[in-house]
Amino acid sequence: MRQSILALAAVIVLSAPAAATEWIYCGDTAGEVQIGLLAGHFQFLEVNRANFSVGDEQWSTNPELEPGKPIAIGQHYSGDNQLLIDLTDVNAEETLAELRIFTADEGEDYVQGGVLRVPGYGAWVVSCEGP
């Protein structure tokens, strides 16, 4: 009886949904800008790391692993087929990038795209790949 209970408990634990953490990359068609978000998918989207570049300039939430000026993840929202995220300076005093992504699916087709705005640098239409 005890072994049956342990076996059932193991099946329940092993069949729990996995929480995947994957990168979402967005960029413009000219290759001038790129933004990457390391996001975990739980019951909601949690952004763990981010980086972006405009031309030769780079920013990163983790400059030790990815080159760039230090940034922080500001406010973000995911739901209703959209992802909205602001990246700020490390003191959260200035918004350095605003990403607005919208998703749509039809049958097996799935697309993501939107706008990346970097104050002082410009705004771009971007398409995205990732979860």
Side-chain angles (χ1 to χ4, degrees), residues 16-88:
T21 302
E22 299 182 50
W23 283 96
I24 300 169
Y25 288 105
C26 303
D28 68 327
T29 56
E32 186 177 349
V33 297
Q34 179 177 328
I35 185 165
L37 306 171
L38 182 62
H41 292 271
F42 303 96
Q43 291 181 1
F44 55 90
L45 185 74
E46 179 61 34
V47 179
N48 300 311
R49 285 186 4 215
N51 60 60
F52 72 96
S53 63
V54 176
D56 292 333
E57 293 196 55
Q58 298 177 319
W59 294 261
S60 173
T61 56
N62 198 339
E64 297 81 30
L65 296 177
E66 302 154 351
K69 300 172 196 171
I71 58 172
I73 297 168
Q75 62 183 357
H76 63 281
Y77 166 79
S78 67
D80 301 322
N81 296 321
Q82 56 186 325
L83 168 62
L84 314 173
I85 184 166
D86 292 343
L87 301 174
T88 69

Side-chain angles (χ1 to χ4, degrees), residues 2-12:
R2 183 171 184 238
Q3 287 181 346
S4 297
I5 293 172
L6 289 175
L8 178 60
V11 168
I12 291 171

